[in-house]
Amino acid sequence: MALGAESVEEWSKLPEGMTVHLWGALAVPRNAFLQPMAVVERLDDHRAEVRVRAQERQQLVGEAGRDLSEDELKAYVDHLEKTFNPATCPTCNLFEYCRGQIRSMSDPVALLTEIGIPPEQRPALSMVAAGEAETADVPDSTIGAVVATRDGQAVWTGQRRTDPVGLPGTVFLVPAKSDAAALGCYGIGVRRVDSVKDTPSWELSIFEDGQSMSTRLAIMELLGRVVAEAMADQAAANPTAPGPVQVVLPDTASGDLLVSMADSLAGTEISRLRWQRDLEVGRPPLTFDGEPATVPEALTEHQRLAVSFLLDRDRGRAMVLRESFVDLRAVLRRHVVPGGVLNDAGRLDYIVAWAEAADPLDHRAVSDAVASELHTPGRATLQHRLGQDPPVLAGFTSQAGRNTSGGLQGTDPRRTRVQGGHRRPGRSGTGKFASLAAARGVSGHRGRCTAGVEATHGLPRL
């Protein structure tokens, strides 16, 4: 912001009468109530720093008396320590350049630097990266990552399974989270594992307004209904000791989103109960600020069940044997060590790509492919990447009624949106792109989640 303001101030073609404002909006963080709050700050100090940096560069050029050649520039920076960290450097403008320089090197230390091995471990692992050793005095997981990168094939740990993924009572859930809101969700997919019948197909839903209260209620209604069905199935399979019901998620962020939604709805429900009591005794319902309150509708049975289930997860975080959520990414990480950048191993789709591979992989190609996928965080709602592909909505259904034909019946998929869980013919505008983004985002996560489950089928259980 300050660099741009100073550049415009010194612009030779600045229109006459136009001036640069002394204040600027530096960020838009969110407060404790998840409400947008613009932070405006005077730019004097920041612009002064920009001028000092520019003067330093002008002084160096003035001392040389001419523009520096490439060889002189190289000599000027040769004494600086070359550092590269794939976990922290992506925020730098030179990240792709530095990564390209590292990738162009052929020595084992450069490979270890590229995938994010700490500097203190690189001497011990250089022989492993060169293929001249298989062991080193470092953790086995780190050795496995280097071996997988070198050979192009994932390293399996050999551990037996203790997770409930794929067993009756598990509910698979994948959301398409919004990048612009803490509690935003544009779509959701749910599938339950039955103890008797075949596993039902994915039930997918999209929402026009990912940040609205109606969307959160629709998500709780869907989750509550599926949890109720899973509880009934477990009770029918074993009436004396029903098995647990657990939700399988692609990552922990998805669970945090659902718990935050439940916490918000629980607070609203508590306020509703207080206001309802006020009405019963003849008092006007008021907010804490003394303003007249609008009494919301009560949670339905399924919504209340989902909120209670999610809040129990929040309370049981400190209890090892009380897990309502199963992180599918963590389950796979216990059994497979992928190659490539260590930081990329925190993505489910990246781990699945290595776990499914039958032939050796190029870790660089895998990392680049995963980063360019549409459902990668930060890309799902970009309109210029969405296109106008109608089949993307196939299989999505409204909350009001199920659609078993594989698409939205009676409407053009290009012109259909879901608001608050109910299907509605759409209008032109950003809602169409949000629907496409949600559909593709949920479909991508659904495919990775399914593939992750299939990757664990051959692993023995305890």
Side-chain angles (χ1 to χ4, degrees):
M1 176 70 72
L3 178 60
E6 195 65 21
S7 300
V8 173
E9 183 73 32
E10 300 297 329
W11 189 28
S12 60
K13 298 182 180 180
L14 184 68
E16 185 178 355
M18 179 179 292
T19 59
V20 180
H21 204 283
L22 299 178
W23 296 74
L26 301 180
V28 185
R30 289 177 173 81
N31 58 20
F33 299 100
L34 305 179
Q35 297 170 339
M37 181 177 61
V39 176
V40 181
E41 186 174 337
R42 193 177 178 91
L43 300 178
D44 296 40
D45 295 341
H46 303 285
R47 292 180 60 179
E49 183 179 355
V50 170
R51 288 192 294 269
V52 169
R53 298 297 183 187
Q55 290 170 2
E56 289 177 352
R57 287 163 173 76
Q58 291 174 353
Q59 182 180 356
L60 290 174
V61 174
E63 293 175 355
R66 54 183 173 77
D67 291 338
L68 300 179
S69 64
E70 292 291 334
D71 293 337
E72 290 174 315
L73 288 174
K74 183 177 183 300
Y76 177 73
V77 298
D78 269 347
H79 68 284
L80 300 177
E81 181 182 357
K82 300 178 181 65
T83 60
F84 178 80
N85 188 339
T88 58
C89 288
T91 57
C92 176
N93 293 332
L94 295 176
F95 169 70
E96 292 187 0
Y97 171 79
C98 295
R99 184 180 62 179
Q101 294 294 315
I102 293 291
R103 287 181 173 183
S104 65
M105 301 178 184
S106 58
D107 61 289
V109 176
L111 177 63
L112 298 176
T113 303
E114 177 190 347
I115 66 176
I117 299 296
E120 61 273 13
Q121 295 181 351
R122 292 171 192 169
L125 289 169
S126 59
M127 299 289 287
V128 177
E132 300 175 2
E134 297 295 330
T135 60
D137 189 18
V138 295
D140 291 343
S141 59
T142 306
I143 298 175
V146 175
V147 172
T149 304
R150 182 195 67 194
D151 299 340
Q153 293 183 327
V155 175
W156 295 86
T157 63
Q159 295 185 23
R160 289 183 176 271
R161 293 184 59 185
T162 58
D163 61 272
V165 175
L167 297 179
T170 53
V171 176
F172 297 96
L173 189 150
V174 289
K177 300 181 288 293
S178 168
D179 294 329
L183 300 183
C185 182
Y186 287 115
I188 191 171
V190 179
R191 187 180 70 168
R192 177 177 61 85
V193 179
D194 198 284
S195 61
V196 180
K197 300 178 294 184
D198 293 336
T199 301
S201 59
W202 284 89
E203 182 176 348
L204 310 175
S205 302
I206 55 177
F207 308 100
E208 179 187 53
D209 187 358
Q211 305 178 31
S212 68
M213 178 66 73
S214 59
T215 296
R216 300 173 198 172
L217 293 173
I219 292 174
M220 293 299 116
E221 181 72 25
L222 174 60
L223 178 59
R225 176 174 56 79
V226 175
V227 169
E229 293 174 355
M231 293 172 61
D233 176 69
Q234 292 289 76
N238 191 344
T240 58
V245 174
Q246 294 173 302
V247 175
V248 181
L249 299 166
D251 49 42
T252 56
S254 300
D256 294 339
L257 171 68
L258 295 173
V259 171
S260 298
M261 284 185 179
D263 187 63
S264 174
L265 293 176
T268 302
E269 180 68 5
I270 291 174
S271 297
R272 186 198 67 81
L273 294 173
R274 177 169 58 85
W275 292 330
Q276 184 64 37
R277 178 58 181 169
D278 290 339
L279 293 175
E280 292 174 357
V281 299
R283 291 192 301 263
L286 301 175
T287 65
F288 288 107
D289 297 332
E291 299 294 331
T294 301
V295 182
E297 295 184 2
L299 295 178
T300 64
E301 180 181 356
H302 287 157
Q303 292 169 355
R304 187 180 295 272
L305 174 61
V307 169
S308 300
F309 180 86
L310 295 173
L311 290 182
D312 181 74
R313 158 63 185 177
D314 193 38
R315 299 186 189 100
R317 290 179 185 270
M319 302 182 183
V320 178
L321 299 180
R322 186 177 172 181
E323 286 290 338
S324 302
F325 290 167
V326 178
D327 183 2
L328 185 57
R329 176 187 57 183
V331 170
L332 274 179
R333 280 297 276 125
R334 284 195 293 268
H335 301 284
V336 60
V337 180
V341 179
L342 302 183
N343 197 51
D344 288 348
R347 292 179 53 92
L348 176 62
D349 43 8
Y350 185 82
I351 302 174
V352 168
W354 283 87
E356 288 184 323
D359 300 321
L361 298 176
D362 180 357
H363 69 276
R364 295 165 183 165
V366 177
S367 293
D368 294 344
V370 170
S372 63
E373 288 182 354
L374 184 65
H375 61 272
T376 295
R379 293 177 176 264
T381 56
L382 296 181
Q383 296 184 10
H384 67 278
R385 294 181 58 85
L386 292 176
Q388 301 290 331
D389 185 16
V392 74
L393 294 176
F396 279 74
T397 175
S398 70
Q399 302 279 343
R402 297 197 177 186
N403 176 11
T404 57
S405 66
L408 296 177
Q409 298 176 344
T411 53
D412 183 357
R414 293 176 183 264
R415 307 285 294 168
T416 302
R417 297 184 292 173
V418 176
Q419 182 175 18
H422 297 283
R423 189 173 57 194
R424 163 188 172 193
R427 307 182 300 272
S428 60
T430 58
K432 175 175 64 176
F433 292 103
S435 298
L436 287 171
R440 289 190 175 182
V442 175
S443 295
H445 290 311
R446 172 191 57 178
R448 298 302 181 191
C449 188
T450 303
V453 174
E454 293 174 352
T456 63
H457 282 171
L459 300 176
R461 293 182 179 273
L462 283 178

